[in-house]
Amino acid sequence: MNDTPQVSRIVRTAIFVSDLEKSVRFYKEALGYGEVYANGVLEHKVGHALIGVPEDSVIRYEIVKADELNFGMVGLFEAKPSPPAFRRENRGANLGEGCMVFFATDIHAVRDRIVKLGGEIVCEPQLLAVHTLRQLEMTCRDPDGMMINIIERPTENWNADVVQ
């Protein structure tokens, strides 16, 4: 018998946002997270404790997903009054910061949608060539500064098990 506790693959990323509607639109239209898993107002005080905001805060949320699986979702949470902004240098990575990584079939079309919907480009699409790997990649930030890496992946390799 194995007594080692098990941990699942990532269920979702939770992002604290300044404008819920703007962020939902960004993740739905720029990145294709068109399905809603859950949304509403978080009223349970344990939720306030888990997030680390005062009990009288109003927390609205929407959890979006890209397909029928309930893994890899993006939870967008807006707390009022707003918590303090994360201090970072927007042009590159910051210690302790996360970066979400997505595949796209057309990196240039996704790049244009990102800009249109309020994202900031950190690095324009570039050819990354390491050993036999050759792929276009770019990095951007969502409207609140969350770092996102987009990797172009052809349709024929879309569901391949190998992630590079």
Side-chain angles (χ1 to χ4, degrees), residues 16-31:
F16 304 98
V17 301
S18 60
D19 182 328
L20 184 61
E21 287 74 23
K22 181 177 183 179
S23 293
V24 166
R25 183 171 180 230
F26 178 88
Y27 281 89
K28 284 183 173 181
E29 294 181 23
L31 300 178

Side-chain angles (χ1 to χ4, degrees), residues 88-107:
R88 74 175 153 273
E89 175 61 43
N90 274 341
R91 297 311 304 157
N94 298 279
L95 188 62
E97 177 179 36
C99 179
M100 296 190 302
V101 181
F102 298 94
F103 291 133
T105 57
D106 183 343
I107 198 168

